Amino acid sequence: MSSPTPVALSVRDATAADAAACAALYAPYVRGTTISFEEEAPDAAEVARRIARAQERHAWIVAEEPGAGDSGGDGPRVVAYAYAGPFSGRAAYRWSCEVSVYAELGRRRSGVGRLLYGELFARLGRRGYRSLFAGVAEPNAASAGLHAAMGFERVGTYRRVGFKHGAWRDVTWWQRALGEDGPAGEPPAEPR
């Protein structure tokens, strides 16, 4: 079986109008996998709140595939998204953030994760963030491969940290530096 012809994707900042598409894309991960530790798929209203919260200090972006255009078809369609949020609520962690990416199940290992992460990391760098973290529920070879390819290093594993679909699950944590450290002892500029 041949792979589908790649379609040029565009990336942009998410808005509340993308919430229903992001919720629909995420729901199969919640319901049918251990990739997400949520047990109830959030609805569009909750995803809209999450998008707004991420956009305040971090970022939430979407990848779209073009629509049929003038031939009367639908407009662009969201096929993946990535976002960042706080790594921890403690003040000293404010230069660090946690990142995630989700693509339609049929698009995993298609390059869309790399595309989105590249754009997300550029936005986070411009905002002054210095360290990125990602938690990967095990086993998930596709996500481990993506994070390694994007310059993350495996830094540790929380054993039996979540219980989903009838079993205890491990989460491996990955870390990636973003930007350059300034002079020793000098605080970096505040994230914006």
Side-chain angles (χ1 to χ4, degrees), residues 6-90:
V7 175
L9 299 176
S10 60
V11 176
R12 62 173 174 76
D13 291 316
T15 69
D18 298 311
C22 290
L25 193 149
Y26 181 55
Y29 287 97
V30 173
R31 293 186 188 117
T33 77
T34 58
I35 291 170
S36 167
F37 276 11
E38 290 196 69
E39 294 180 336
E40 300 281 331
D43 64 12
E46 172 57 23
V47 173
R49 285 188 286 277
R50 293 177 187 188
I51 290 170
R53 197 167 41 248
Q55 296 292 31
E56 286 174 10
R57 299 214 28 110
H58 295 87
W60 186 305
I61 59 177
V62 295
E64 293 180 315
E65 101 182 334
D70 294 332
S71 64
D74 293 333
R77 185 173 69 86
V78 172
V79 298
Y81 67 90
Y83 65 91
F87 175 70
S88 173
R90 304 272 194 235

Side-chain angles (χ1 to χ4, degrees), residues 60 64 94 109-110 127 137 143 164:
W60 186 305
E64 293 180 315
R94 67 187 173 274
R109 295 185 180 200
S110 69
R127 291 194 114 166
S143 187
K164 187 169 180 189

Side-chain angles (χ1 to χ4, degrees), residues 19-171:
C22 290
L25 193 149
Y26 181 55
Y29 287 97
V30 173
R31 293 186 188 117
T33 77
T34 58
I35 291 170
S36 167
F37 276 11
E38 290 196 69
E39 294 180 336
E40 300 281 331
D43 64 12
E46 172 57 23
V47 173
R49 285 188 286 277
R50 293 177 187 188
I51 290 170
R53 197 167 41 248
Q55 296 292 31
E56 286 174 10
R57 299 214 28 110
H58 295 87
W60 186 305
I61 59 177
V62 295
E64 293 180 315
E65 101 182 334
D70 294 332
S71 64
D74 293 333
R77 185 173 69 86
V78 172
V79 298
Y81 67 90
Y83 65 91
F87 175 70
S88 173
R90 304 272 194 235
Y93 289 116
R94 67 187 173 274
W95 292 276
S96 298
C97 47
E98 188 175 342
V99 297
S100 292
V101 62
Y102 288 93
E104 289 178 325
L105 291 177
R107 288 184 188 268
R108 294 180 70 207
R109 295 185 180 200
S110 69
V112 69
R114 284 182 190 220
L115 172 69
L116 280 170
Y117 261 178
E119 293 283 336
L120 181 69
F121 299 170
R123 284 166 169 77
L124 295 170
R126 288 192 296 272
R127 291 194 114 166
Y129 290 100
R130 308 303 286 247
S131 293
L132 307 177
F133 295 86
V136 176
E138 298 295 342
N140 190 337
S143 187
L146 169 64
H147 288 92
M150 295 302 299
F152 283 79
E153 294 179 67
R154 186 185 312 247
V155 292
T157 300
Y158 292 163
R159 304 277 180 214
R160 299 172 48 87
V161 70
F163 189 85
K164 187 169 180 189
H165 294 311
W168 286 103
R169 308 296 172 174
D170 296 346
V171 173

